[in-house]
Each structure stands twice: as C-alpha cells, then as structure tokens.
Amino acid sequence: MLSPAWTLLAGEGPFFVTYTHQMEEPGNLEISIKNTTGKPANGNRFLGITTEFEYGVKAWWTTEVYVEGQTTSGDSTLFTGFRWENRFRVLEREHWINPVLYLEFEDTNAADRSLLEVVGFDRQDDLTGPNAIARREKDREIEAKLILSSHVKGWTIAENFIAEKNVRHAPYEFGYAVGASRPLALAARPEDCRFCPENFQAGLELYGGLGTHQSFGLSGTSHYLAPTLAWSLPDGPTFTVSPGFGLTGQSAGFLLRFGVSYEIAQFGRLWRKRS
Amino acid sequence: MSRLKVASCFLAMTAIELPAAHKPPLQRAPIEAMSRANPFEARPPQEQSAADQAGHKLFERECSGCHGKQAQGSAWAPALASPVVKQAPAGAIFWVLRNGSLRSGMPSFAHLPEPQRWQIVTYLKNLK
C-alpha cells in the first residue's frame, strides 16, 4: 500500500514561479496542478493548466515533467507542450545561502499560457491572438536557472536568475524571480488540526523579464508582484493561491494562479519493491 | 570576480565538506552545533509534553515515510528509536535535521522552522 505523506511545505513552498533550494525527498512523487488565468487588454480570458510530476531521484537531484494545456474563452482548448526540468543541489550542507542549478528543456508552442516564468520581452500581447495560429509557432527552448535561497528565522528567501534560449535561433533571454515566505506559526501545535497557523504559509513573489543579450535591462519588460498563500491539510493536499499584479504597461493587468499538490511518499521504492 | 575565482570558491566549499562525509551523520556535527541546547528542555513540564506531542505529529508527517511510524527504521533508513539517538546530544540531532545527509539519501529539513525541528528532537529524545 502506498502511504500518503502530508505535504507540509510542498516543493517550492507557496511560490508559483520562484524556486527555493528545497529538493523533493528521494523516492517521493509530488503531483501538482497549477492553473493561471488572466485577461490581456486586447484578448480573451484564458486558463493555462499545467500538470507537474516532481520526483526525488537523489537527495541532491530532483527531476520534474510538466504537461501543459490551455483554454481560451471564445476560442479553443488545446495541448500546448511539455517541459522536463532537473535541479541539482550544489553544496552538501546547509549554508547561509544555498545554490541550486536548474536545467530545463521545453517543447511548447506559442499558445502556451502556463507563464511558469517571464523572460526577455514577454508581454501581454503574447497572450492574445487565435490559438489556431499561435500553436503553429514551436518553442523548443533550453532554460537554465541559478537558484539561491536561504532560511532565516522562519523566513524562506529565494532569488532566481533565469537564462533561456530557443535551440534554433537567438537571442538569449533573461529573467528573474525573487520571493519570501513564512509559515503563520513557527512552532507546531500538539493537536492534529486543519486550521492550525503552522499549516498556512504566506509569501510574496516578484518576477519579470530582463531583456536579451542584445538589449539587457528593464526597459520594455513585464513584471509582476504576487502575494501567495498555501494551506496544507494534514494527510492531504496542499492548496495554493496567488493573485498577481502587473507592474508595467507590458504586463497583463492581473493574473490569478491557483493550484493543488499531493505527495506520495516513497513512491519509487515501493514501486520497485512491487515489480 | 572572474569565472575561475567563482569556480574555485565552489570547489573549496565542497572540499571542506568532503573529509567528514564518511562518518555517520550524528558524528559529523561540529562541536558548537552539538553543544546547542534544546530550548524546550528549559520549559515547564507541561510545555515539554506539548513539544513532545507536536514533535510526534511532525515526525509522522515528515519522517515516518522513511524511518517508519514507530521510528523502527526501514530497508532504506535507520531506526531512530535506538540508544544511539537517545544518547546523542540534542544539538547533534538538530544539526542532522538541518543539514540532512545527502550522500546517504536523507534530505535537509531546514525548510522547517527551528522550533519545529526542536519539537522533532524532543520527540526523538523521548522515544522509548
């Protein structure tokens, strides 16, 4: 029998975009559904749906596969592609700042609305246009991130530097994500409870594009500020919600992200034992 | 700073961590970490008991997947209901929770706030 584990602080805490140095436990499988909805100024409301399978290969290596799709009001519903990412913890021990290297291959199309990161000159106009045309534009990209993060007095503080390149053509695109979060209580209560403050984590994310190698900087880029809240049920799933506010004219005015994740403890080992 | 210097820094930090890697995790804790006292030990008995119960709850959620519901251990993780853990300094157990033992497959639990890690230590020290 597979035993479910309580996901007190799932993979990336309450964040949708920012990664911390917390790795998936070896053998554990976390399944998440992350949704993003928004309405660009000159387009229809969309809902990007991402299903994520995160597996702890080693204590220092986590691998994830994402399957993505979207539906747009007054248009269509379609599969938009997949991603495969790997995260490697560089240092064996915990330090005041902890680096993790991230490498991803993505095979999506321009109709993708997952918005798992913002890079280069990504803007709200990219979220408009008919799906039938956007799906023809293939985005096969390699993405690298340097993840730096720390745990300080109950706070988790993380900074991500992102570089992305289409495998077929220039340019290199850059982006960033920073976040801070904290559980509502640092000590756990002795009794089992669903609404104990330690079951909730609140945080704030800031993320956006930094242009390209030809034109690096903040000018003409999108940026978002997003409060986040996660609620973990004992022996159950973690629910996460994050309203994001566009900070520049290129950003979509408002994005609402919401998700649910569930972790299966020792999935890999029990699977091997059975077969 | 040149790329060479950055690479050298990473290599140096990794090299510092290597020599102690072959020891069992509890013996790898530095002396200053071992000497850290469990803040819940100085509390009144009622609060200590509450910390023990909270630690039990956290243990079931965070640790029992590998170490077993009764901390009896499994094919891939050692028993924690053992004299070794019972006699270990509280600070050493806390250090292992913070750093993990990546080579032997134990992840870091530094994402848990310090009071929660001390609650787990309280529970482990009181295990019979």
Side-chain angles (χ1 to χ4, degrees):
Chain A
M1 190 71 185
L2 298 177
S3 61
W6 194 53
T7 51
L8 181 65
L9 298 173
E12 294 84 40
F15 302 132
F16 278 89
V17 178
T18 314
Y19 283 83
T20 71
H21 69 291
Q22 189 189 343
M23 311 295 278
E24 188 57 65
E25 291 171 37
N28 284 15
L29 174 71
E30 185 179 299
I31 302 169
S32 309
I33 296 172
K34 293 177 175 175
N35 305 297
T36 305
T37 183
K39 188 181 179 310
N42 301 314
N44 295 337
R45 176 164 293 284
F46 64 83
L47 174 68
I49 304 158
T50 305
T51 306
E52 175 187 350
F53 301 90
E54 179 179 279
Y55 184 72
V57 184
K58 301 278 182 190
W60 49 269
W61 174 19
T62 295
T63 190
E64 287 187 56
V65 172
Y66 294 84
V67 182
E68 298 171 9
Q70 64 108 314
T71 183
T72 301
S73 168
D75 197 332
S76 61
T77 299
L78 71 162
F79 170 72
T80 54
F82 74 91
R83 297 165 193 245
W84 177 41
E85 70 167 55
N86 289 280
R87 280 180 281 144
F88 304 98
R89 187 176 166 132
V90 177
L91 300 176
E92 193 171 357
R93 288 186 195 163
E94 190 76 10
H95 296 271
W96 68 273
I97 192 157
N98 302 278
V100 169
L101 299 179
Y102 170 111
L103 204 59
E104 177 193 283
F105 171 73
E106 65 180 75
D107 186 348
T108 57
N109 59 48
D112 184 44
R113 299 286 184 266
S114 59
L115 299 174
L116 293 178
E117 73 279 314
V118 175
V119 293
F121 294 101
D122 288 353
R123 59 187 67 198
Q124 63 171 330
D125 293 347
D126 301 338
L127 307 172
T128 62
N131 283 342
I133 295 171
R135 70 187 301 178
R136 287 187 215 145
E137 186 186 327
K138 300 288 177 197
D139 291 331
R140 292 196 179 94
E141 294 173 331
I142 300 285
E143 183 182 304
K145 287 181 187 172
L146 174 62
I147 299 163
L148 301 171
S149 90
S150 320
H151 296 299
V152 186
K153 297 186 186 297
W155 286 89
T156 298
I157 300 161
E159 308 87 32
N160 299 176
F161 303 96
I162 309 166
E164 187 177 277
K165 187 183 176 299
N166 192 301
V167 294
R168 291 189 180 165
H169 56 77
Y172 287 92
E173 297 178 292
F174 300 102
Y176 72 93
V178 294
S181 71
R182 185 187 188 278
L184 297 191
L186 297 183
R189 293 212 182 155
E191 68 276 11
D192 274 321
C193 46
R194 292 183 174 196
F195 296 99
C196 289
E198 75 264 17
N199 294 354
F200 292 88
Q201 275 195 90
L204 190 69
E205 285 187 284
L206 175 69
Y207 52 90
L210 292 172
T212 64
H213 72 283
Q214 294 148 330
S215 177
F216 186 85
L218 297 172
S219 176
T221 55
S222 302
H223 302 271
Y224 295 89
L225 185 68
T228 60
L229 183 69
W231 175 39
S232 295
L233 285 167
D235 297 323
T238 296
F239 298 95
T240 319
V241 64
S242 173
F245 303 94
L247 301 179
T248 61
Q250 287 74 27
S251 322
F254 179 74
L255 294 176
L256 179 67
R257 296 178 189 266
F258 54 99
V260 60
S261 63
Y262 189 80
E263 190 164 317
I264 303 168
Q266 297 309 309
F267 175 85
R269 283 165 175 145
L270 291 167
W271 187 259
R272 279 201 295 272
K273 212 171 154 186
R274 277 180 166 191
S275 52
Chain B
M1 194 187 283
S2 72
R3 272 181 256 179
L4 187 64
K5 280 182 182 170
V6 173
S8 305
C9 283
F10 274 121
L11 282 175
M13 288 176 85
T14 309
I16 289 165
E17 294 179 352
L18 281 177
H22 63 281
K23 289 184 186 171
L26 282 170
Q27 291 177 24
R28 282 184 227 157
I31 292 166
E32 63 272 21
M34 281 198 196
S35 60
R36 284 191 72 178
N38 182 347
F40 289 105
E41 280 176 7
R43 305 268 177 89
Q46 203 178 347
E47 286 186 35
Q48 284 184 38
S49 170
D52 184 28
Q53 286 173 48
H56 184 196
K57 185 173 87 171
L58 291 167
F59 178 87
E60 285 199 334
R61 293 168 184 176
E62 301 286 342
C63 318
S64 66
C66 289
H67 292 283
K69 289 234 173 221
Q70 310 298 322
Q72 77 277 15
S74 68
W76 51 82
L80 299 179
S82 75
V84 175
V85 174
K86 187 106 183 148
Q87 288 156 19
I93 304 171
F94 184 82
W95 184 88
V96 173
L97 277 172
R98 179 175 187 263
N99 290 283
S101 177
L102 299 193
R103 282 159 194 255
S104 55
M106 180 177 161
S108 158
F109 285 86
H111 60 276
L112 293 178
E114 281 205 11
Q116 291 188 23
R117 277 180 271 149
W118 282 119
Q119 287 174 322
I120 295 174
V121 172
T122 305
Y123 169 69
L124 292 176
K125 294 292 284 178
N126 290 333
L127 268 175
K128 294 191 173 73

